[in-house]
Amino acid sequence: MRSRFLVLIFCAGLGLGCSNEADPHAAGPTYPAFEAAPKLAQALTRTAEQALPDVDTATQEEVAELLEAAALGGRLGHSATGQLNDMDGKLRTAALLAIVEDLHAEVGARRSAYAWLRDSGTPGLVPRLTLRLKYEKDLWSAVCLGDTLLRHGNGSGLDAVAGVLEREAQDAAEESARSYAATVIPQLPAAEGWNAGADFAADWQHLSEVRGLWARERRLSPSEEQIEVFHPEVEAEILRMATRLASQPLRPVDDARFVLTRQRGAVIPLLFELAHDEDRYVREHALQTLSWMGPPVYAWCQARAFDYLANVSPFLGEASMRARALEALGAGRMAIAMPDLIHWLEHGRREEAASAADALLRCADPSILPQLQQWLAEGTPPGLPAEGAFSLYTLWFALEPELEAEYPIEVFEGLPEGERKRRERWASERLVKKTVDSAQQD
């Protein structure tokens, strides 16, 4: 979105830089009581038998040696292949995952492990292989990740496949990866009029469509049902990944959010379960993950008739979690949330008001226009931070695309470029709804 300068409405009217205190006398919504419990520990216990086994160093080394021997072929290779095939599937999967996660493993060893995971891995590999998308640098291995995840119904690796196909191969290794990537396309779900392999332009178009659908809805085909629950192994491994949400250092938390936001919509009720955990970090990071997941939240909730607002409500009544809950509410992109968001924009503390403004950008429909214009004209609510002000202006411009108006310089320049781009992305992800009533009927 191009930068704009609004001539008639001044940033000073917004009261930027002032404190924003909650109004204790404002009558507002009432919410169910929030109750915390050891939810993560209980879930881990509930799914312990379905999780992949822990692998010690000796087992990892044994499997690595078998992979090396299997690659040699001949009688020794045949014997090693037989031993790998005879292993318990979950144990073999866990050992292979340990190899691809080993920072000291050679590229060849990782490639062999990835290939075995592709051909014989059990469903529980999905969360940990999703995380490998973040760190794997070898192009062939990245394509194999996309291939394997696709075979298990997860499209998160299709971006890696497309990225390799877009590259101009510079050497034999890159050409090998590119050739492999081309073989993944025929595995995409069928589509009317698409004949896999007949025309690369048509293949590329179909790949782009599948990637787009996955990004919006976490589905691979328009005819595919939104799943209600995960395979038991996948659920168990998702919960294991979620233990990283308890970390104070940010990298484990970022890794968990990376994985959880790239799973199918059935992760949403799991995240709400974790948001009731007794650990404050788990609670906050679970809500934050919902916010980061974005567009797929709406698609899954609509398909499964999941009452998203009702599930967020207990956290709105808890002052320590309200800002995170408002962010998560915005991710649902449901206009039915507008009354709650308007209340906390006008009567919340500074951080809550900013979160409410961000959420309105994501889910408000045109019925908010009179109130929105009044806020901007009168400079209410006082003390709204720059990010909240930017969200309100961006919402205004999104609702009235023909409007000849621009951002006040103080608002536009008061926000880092990354924060501006994030809100512009939210505007581009908005659902097209005309009224609150139509939103409730969708």
Side-chain angles (χ1 to χ4, degrees):
M1 185 182 295
R2 62 188 179 88
S3 64
R4 304 187 255 191
F5 178 67
L6 185 62
V7 177
L8 298 178
I9 300 176
F10 295 94
C11 180
L14 287 169
L16 296 180
C18 304
S19 62
N20 197 53
E21 298 296 334
D23 181 359
H25 303 293
T30 57
Y31 301 108
F34 170 76
E35 297 180 0
K39 293 292 187 177
L40 180 54
Q42 291 170 354
L44 290 169
T45 299
R46 182 183 77 235
T47 59
E49 292 185 1
Q50 285 75 46
L52 297 176
D54 294 325
V55 175
D56 57 27
T57 302
T59 301
Q60 179 182 334
E61 291 176 349
E62 177 187 354
V63 171
E65 291 173 359
L66 288 172
L67 289 176
E68 186 176 359
L72 297 175
R75 181 179 300 178
L76 180 61
H78 180 74
S79 175
T81 300
Q83 291 181 65
L84 286 168
N85 284 324
D86 289 342
M87 287 183 67
D88 173 76
K90 291 172 68 172
L91 178 61
R92 181 180 60 238
T93 297
L96 293 168
L97 286 169
I99 292 169
V100 300
E101 293 165 344
D102 187 347
L103 296 177
H104 303 292
E106 298 290 337
V107 171
R110 292 206 314 277
R111 286 187 179 185
S112 294
Y114 278 129
W116 272 84
L117 285 167
R118 176 195 63 201
D119 298 335
S120 67
T122 61
L125 58 74
V126 170
R128 286 164 67 179
L129 276 194
T130 303
L131 183 56
R132 292 304 306 155
L133 291 170
K134 184 178 180 181
Y135 294 110
E136 184 56 66
K137 304 302 182 186
D138 176 61
L139 293 182
W140 188 95
S141 298
V143 173
C144 194
L145 278 168
D147 185 359
T148 307
L149 289 171
L150 181 64
R151 296 180 189 213
H152 287 273
N154 185 298
S156 298
L158 292 177
D159 288 345
V161 174
V164 169
L165 287 171
E166 287 179 314
R167 295 172 65 103
E168 190 71 34
Q170 301 297 320
D171 53 36
E174 291 188 5
E175 184 58 42
S176 174
R178 200 171 187 280
S179 297
Y180 181 10
T183 70
V184 176
I185 294 181
Q187 299 179 48
L188 297 172
E192 185 176 356
W194 175 58
N195 183 13
D199 176 66
F200 182 77
D203 287 349
W204 180 260
Q205 177 63 28
H206 185 52
L207 174 60
S208 299
E209 291 171 355
V210 174
R211 290 169 62 201
L213 182 62
W214 179 261
R216 295 189 306 272
E217 301 185 14
R218 293 295 183 266
R219 292 190 298 163
L220 296 167
S221 167
S223 62
E224 187 178 33
E225 183 182 9
Q226 290 278 7
I227 65 169
E228 184 174 9
V229 295
F230 290 108
H231 183 284
E233 263 188 53
V234 178
E235 180 182 0
E237 290 300 309
I238 284 175
L239 290 166
R240 277 191 165 186
M241 185 65 65
T243 60
R244 305 180 191 209
L245 296 177
S247 171
Q248 293 186 40
L250 285 180
R251 181 166 178 173
V253 177
D254 286 342
D255 285 350
R257 286 185 299 217
F258 181 91
V259 173
L260 296 172
T261 58
R262 285 163 174 77
Q263 303 309 310
R264 287 182 177 266
V267 76
I268 293 168
L270 293 181
L271 287 169
F272 275 117
E273 181 180 3
L274 299 179
H276 284 272
D277 194 75
E278 58 189 4
D279 185 294
R280 176 171 63 91
Y281 291 102
V282 173
R283 294 199 303 267
E284 291 191 358
H285 292 145
L287 287 175
Q288 190 178 58
T289 301
L290 285 166
S291 177
W292 287 24
M293 190 172 185
V297 170
Y298 177 85
W300 188 86
C301 290
Q302 293 299 103
R304 303 305 315 184
F306 183 84
D307 194 336
Y308 190 73
L309 178 58
N311 278 273
V312 175
S313 290
F315 310 107
L316 293 173
E318 186 71 13
S320 65
M321 301 183 65
R322 188 173 297 130
R324 288 281 185 246
L326 291 165
E327 293 171 0
L329 195 54
R333 298 187 301 162
M334 300 171 187
I336 195 173
M338 288 167 55
D340 294 271
L341 298 175
I342 290 171
H343 172 81
W344 293 113
L345 176 63
E346 294 183 325
H347 303 293
R349 295 170 296 183
R350 182 180 175 88
E351 184 183 7
E352 294 165 355
S355 295
D358 288 344
L360 283 168
L361 168 59
R362 302 176 83 174
C363 67
D365 67 18
S367 67
I368 201 175
L369 267 172
Q371 176 69 77
L372 179 61
Q373 292 164 345
Q374 181 180 343
W375 283 330
L376 297 178
E378 297 181 357
T380 55
L384 188 66
E387 58 264 37
F390 190 89
S391 285
L392 293 185
Y393 279 104
T394 305
L395 174 60
W396 185 23
F397 301 146
L399 292 174
E400 296 194 281
E402 304 304 319
L403 186 70
E404 290 295 329
E406 303 176 351
Y407 293 97
I409 282 180
E410 292 86 346
V411 170
F412 189 82
E413 294 184 350
L415 206 61
E417 182 182 4
E419 291 298 315
R420 294 198 300 265
K421 288 187 177 299
R422 185 152 66 110
R423 286 160 179 81
E424 289 165 0
R425 187 188 76 243
W426 289 342
S428 72
E429 293 172 346
R430 286 174 44 79
L431 293 167
V432 178
K433 289 192 173 71
K434 296 189 179 298
T435 64
V436 174
D437 290 339
S438 68
Q440 293 173 342
Q441 294 169 6
D442 281 352

